Amino acid sequence: MQARRILSLDGGGIRGLVSCIWLGGVEDVLAQAGKPGLLKNFDLVSGSSTGAIIACGLGIGLSPGTMRELYRDQRHQIFPGMPGRLWSRAGRFLSAGPSAPKYDAKGLEKVLKKVFGKTTFGQLKVPTLVTSYDTISRKPVMFKSFNPAHRDLPVWEICRASSAAPTYFPAHGMKIGGRTHSLIDGGVVANNPTACAIAEAMRKDRRVDNSRELVVLSVGSGERTRPISLEAAREWGALEWAVPIIDVLFDGNTDSVDYIARQLVGDAYFRMQTELLAGLDDLDDVSATNIAALETLATDYLQAAATRKKLKELVTRL
């Protein structure tokens, strides 16, 4: 497998909508340069959590625009409102207790099954890497469409495993090679899976013996900037940290991977990312107001002179 050109997609819940809009912008710039077809310009795609869903959606032939509409149309199915959550929690109270995950994942699974059907991982149109984490073995799981052990696994299950964010969705039980795994969100391993993809490219393609030969497009979903005060960080215990710690862990490993990739690849590393306003940073805010704000933020970023310059340079490298 030749893997010189890498596309990497961050996690971020409903903010995957932002990633889809940015990918649409990349696709447009490529077409204007006479290089139509987003995936035709990349040898390896990696994704974590919502990025895994987008990566696999692209892999079955869906356009960024179609994926964008999927997020818009199915967002209430994936993240039900308060009445649906209360009904679900009441049904899970005896089995899971009062601290059950916020969502039961039935809606998420329904959407994933509808989108991917019986498609297996090995049937994707481009080599794809998806991250997850096994709570039984306490080890990362790197799903690879080109790995014989993973080729026949259903795509919907891999996406379900990679998007099982702790406190939001239950872990996904899955058998791989006869062993049972308890899989949670790939963001626990690498919310930004770029470094994983770079390592895989250098391992698989022996002609790439230097990371400086790679071209990498790493697509974020918006960077959280909401501060946690010194007083809160000092005083919070397990109860207060339960939900915020997930976002902190995801953000921390996203930024560390960004630093690593930038040092490894140099000026052939292109990162699409922008800061989020405090009201736009939740993983599961599917209100019409938030969706409209995210779309405006993503569009404004694409139209910025610095972004246009970045994408123009990217196209010359691919």
Side-chain angles (χ1 to χ4, degrees):
M1 179 185 77
Q2 182 181 8
R4 188 183 67 84
R5 304 167 302 172
I6 294 170
L7 172 62
S8 180
L9 305 170
D10 284 14
I14 191 60
R15 302 198 314 265
L17 177 70
V18 171
S19 305
C20 292
I21 293 172
W22 288 347
L23 287 171
V26 174
E27 189 174 58
D28 290 343
V29 173
L30 286 168
Q32 293 166 11
K35 299 180 178 182
L38 181 66
L39 287 194
K40 292 180 181 179
N41 293 278
F42 294 97
D43 309 308
L44 176 64
V45 179
S46 62
S48 288
S49 196
T50 201
I53 297 173
I54 298 170
C56 291
L58 297 174
I60 64 171
L62 301 181
S63 68
T66 300
M67 292 300 298
R68 173 183 180 178
E69 290 308 308
L70 176 69
Y71 274 81
R72 285 184 57 88
D73 296 343
Q74 303 298 325
R75 67 186 193 273
H76 294 295
Q77 182 85 5
I78 297 171
F79 299 111
M82 184 63 72
R85 294 206 307 271
L86 289 175
W87 182 257
S88 169
R89 184 173 290 276
R92 291 180 288 152
F93 183 81
L94 292 178
S95 60
S99 62
K102 191 173 184 180
Y103 305 99
D104 60 18
K106 290 181 180 178
L108 173 61
E109 291 184 4
K110 184 176 181 180
V111 171
L112 293 176
K113 289 176 182 178
K114 181 179 180 180
V115 172
F116 297 111
K118 296 182 179 180
T119 304
T120 60
F121 205 32
Q123 291 176 321
L124 298 184
K125 300 178 184 294
V126 63
T128 303
L129 182 152
V130 167
T131 64
S132 188
Y133 182 83
D134 181 16
T135 65
I136 296 176
S137 67
R138 299 293 289 267
K139 292 181 179 179
V141 175
M142 301 293 171
F143 290 106
K144 304 172 188 178
S145 64
F146 41 89
N147 182 340
H150 301 158
R151 286 174 183 164
D152 295 329
L153 297 175
V155 172
W156 81 262
E157 283 207 72
I158 290 174
C159 290
R160 167 68 176 88
S162 186
S163 57
T167 75
Y168 290 92
F169 294 113
H172 182 63
M174 195 171 177
K175 280 203 170 184
I176 307 171
R179 292 181 55 193
T180 298
H181 298 261
S182 169
L183 300 169
I184 61 173
D185 200 291
V188 174
V189 177
N191 198 52
N192 173 354
T194 303
C196 301
I198 290 173
E200 188 63 33
M202 296 183 68
R203 186 181 75 87
K204 295 293 290 185
D205 187 358
R206 299 306 180 186
R207 288 170 290 184
V208 178
D209 56 8
N210 190 313
S211 56
R212 297 283 174 168
E213 297 178 20
L214 300 173
V215 179
V216 178
L217 172 60
S218 177
V219 180
S221 61
E223 183 177 12
R224 295 173 62 96
T225 59
R226 189 186 311 196
I228 297 174
S229 70
L230 175 61
E231 291 76 13
R234 280 178 168 174
E235 296 172 3
W236 282 358
L239 183 62
E240 293 85 358
W241 272 112
V243 174
I245 194 63
I246 301 301
D247 296 325
V248 170
L249 291 174
F250 286 3
D251 294 344
N253 76 44
T254 293
D255 292 340
S256 64
V257 168
D258 179 50
Y259 173 81
I260 293 168
R262 199 173 299 278
Q263 303 311 308
L264 286 174
V265 183
D267 60 5
Y269 171 72
F270 299 86
R271 175 72 170 163
M272 299 185 75
Q273 184 67 300
T274 191
E275 291 186 351
L276 294 165
L277 299 175
L280 306 181
D281 55 6
D282 288 332
L283 297 175
D284 60 344
D285 184 350
V286 295
S287 66
T289 300
N290 191 57
I291 295 301
L294 287 174
E295 290 181 326
T296 298
L297 176 139
T299 301
D300 288 348
Y301 176 82
L302 277 180
Q303 294 173 350
T307 305
R308 294 199 302 270
K309 180 180 179 181
K310 181 186 299 185
L311 293 183
K312 184 177 180 180
E313 174 65 18
L314 168 68
V315 169
T316 65
R317 300 280 189 136
L318 292 173

